[in-house]
Amino acid sequence: MKLAIAMTLGAAIMGAWPAAGEEAQRASGFCAGLNQAVTPLTRGAEAVFIRSYEAGADEANLPAGIATTAFVYDNALAVIALIACGNLSDAKLIGNALSRAARHDRSFDDGRIRNAYRAGPVGAGAPNLPGWWDERAKIWAEDAAQDGTSTGNVAWVALALLTLHQATSDAQYLSDAKRLIDWIIAATACGDGFCGGFHGYDPQQVKLTWMSTEHNVDVHAAAHWLFRLTGEQKYADAAGQARRLLDRAFRGDHFLLGTKPDGRMADEGVLALDVQLWPWMAVSDAPAAWRHALGFAQAHLAVDGGFDFNGDRDGVWVEGTAQAALAYRINGDATQSNRLLAGLKADQTRSGLLNASRAARLTTGLSIDPTDTVPDFFYYRRPHLGATAWAVLAETGWNPFTGKRIH
């Protein structure tokens, strides 16, 4: 993300609800696709998790490890995107599932939320975690990363609940958002920032001692929002603590991924698109220089038709390209934003969801297991809830970190 572009932010911040003139966009654009994919899955439910992926065009079924998986990051994004589309009824049903998960867990009672839950309706008590029957081993299998708790994911759920509170004035959503951020403060504080969370199976999980720039953006945004609403100093302190990691990670025209487990900064050569975009999208008083990271991304992560996840430029990361479209819009560059949005139309599938990757497989350079360094985390060309939600946010001009629309 590095391009020499004007840093003017001549965008007006508008309220939470769509203007009447935006009805046509909601009916025909990415909102229509999101509604098409989500609404049939919420019928008859009081609370529901939406599966993150659907089988791709060349797949008979999803791999067992994600066949029942509703990642909370994707579901949180879906809540915010549905509200941006004016579909509060479906947003509330997914939000209710996130809210219940914040209050009930099968093993812990400290306010954490898992990285994923089993897709489908959620009843009373602790929501089920994803899993599958391993016929060869004759055991019920779960995924250690899905069972774990990522600090950034917890903050994203808080942002979704705060967005719902803004739309409904329901005090339960605010209470649950506070519970989540209180857990982050109590369990993941790491000096100048917040550490990565916890990994592994119940009940003995491993604490992740590295810090992520992306996670700390999320924490800053949610904590700052809570401080605005409550005036409680602990949230201002948490926002400031997360901000210190962002300041430390900035390198003049780009951001580093964060820190290593021993506290040293991440390697310069390891890049990620969202790390270049989210800090200045989320921090209201970010230094003007932070926006140079958009130009850095253009110079180092752009590919034909969009943006890659990392610096190897092996294809279009659809979710990240949508993030860049919103970033350009926030930065006042409607031409670039509209160009990227137009290209994303080709990624929309018959279900309404956009594929996660334009290529058959996209590398990230990251590991599925946050305690490992094997780069085995890939995106595939299969319909993805999270990618679709970001496309909606870009199309509607909704900043998920602030709950405000950009025009």
Side-chain angles (χ1 to χ4, degrees), residues 136-278:
R136 184 165 50 186
K138 302 297 182 185
I139 60 170
W140 181 258
E142 294 183 358
D143 181 280
Q146 294 179 23
D147 286 2
T149 297
S150 162
T151 300
N153 288 341
V154 178
W156 269 105
V157 174
L159 287 170
L161 296 178
L162 287 168
T163 306
L164 271 169
H165 173 261
Q166 176 177 270
T168 66
S169 298
D170 187 330
Q172 185 66 63
Y173 295 132
L174 175 59
S175 176
D176 293 335
K178 291 176 64 177
R179 177 176 172 85
L180 293 171
I181 299 305
D182 288 348
W183 178 84
I184 289 176
I185 294 170
T188 71
C190 283
D192 287 336
F194 294 90
C195 283
F198 292 83
H199 174 73
Y201 300 110
D202 303 5
Q204 301 298 324
Q205 296 188 331
V206 176
K207 185 170 184 177
L208 304 172
T209 59
W210 44 260
M211 288 190 286
S212 161
T213 300
E214 175 197 318
H215 290 187
N216 280 268
V217 170
D218 312 334
V219 175
H220 173 89
H224 184 65
W225 193 328
L226 278 172
F227 178 65
R228 293 199 314 267
L229 290 179
T230 69
E232 293 185 45
Q233 186 61 38
K234 64 180 176 180
Y235 298 124
D237 293 343
Q241 185 172 347
R243 169 67 183 272
R244 289 195 291 275
L245 188 276
L246 305 184
D247 289 330
R248 185 179 168 198
F250 186 57
R251 288 297 183 269
D253 64 351
H254 68 285
F255 289 88
L256 301 181
L257 251 59
T259 73
K260 298 178 180 180
D262 62 5
R264 292 178 298 144
M265 295 305 297
D267 295 335
E268 280 278 353
V270 183
L271 302 176
L273 176 64
D274 48 11
V275 173
Q276 310 310 324
L277 305 179
W278 291 9

Side-chain angles (χ1 to χ4, degrees), residues 235-396:
Y235 298 124
D237 293 343
Q241 185 172 347
R243 169 67 183 272
R244 289 195 291 275
L245 188 276
L246 305 184
D247 289 330
R248 185 179 168 198
F250 186 57
R251 288 297 183 269
D253 64 351
H254 68 285
F255 289 88
L256 301 181
L257 251 59
T259 73
K260 298 178 180 180
D262 62 5
R264 292 178 298 144
M265 295 305 297
D267 295 335
E268 280 278 353
V270 183
L271 302 176
L273 176 64
D274 48 11
V275 173
Q276 310 310 324
L277 305 179
W278 291 9
W280 54 272
M281 293 167 64
V283 179
S284 59
D285 61 346
W290 282 16
R291 295 192 179 220
H292 294 314
L294 179 59
F296 182 90
Q298 180 66 40
H300 295 276
L301 300 167
V303 295
D304 186 23
F307 285 83
D308 191 8
F309 183 98
N310 62 357
D312 65 6
R313 294 180 162 182
D314 63 339
V316 172
W317 180 35
V318 174
E319 177 184 331
T321 298
Q323 293 172 18
L326 179 59
Y328 278 120
R329 187 164 179 172
I330 291 172
N331 203 55
D333 192 337
T335 299
Q336 286 280 39
S337 179
N338 291 336
R339 177 183 65 82
L340 293 176
L341 279 170
L344 291 173
K345 297 292 185 182
D347 300 300
Q348 194 165 29
T349 67
R350 297 169 79 178
S351 74
L353 298 182
L354 277 67
N355 284 322
S357 171
R358 200 166 292 171
R361 190 184 80 163
L362 186 74
T363 63
T364 67
L366 302 178
S367 173
I368 294 175
D369 181 341
T371 65
D372 203 348
T373 57
V374 178
D376 58 356
F377 177 29
F378 304 106
Y379 283 99
Y380 296 90
R381 191 170 54 233
R382 56 172 65 110
H384 182 209
L385 182 64
T388 309
W390 272 109
V392 164
L393 297 175
E395 188 175 58
T396 59

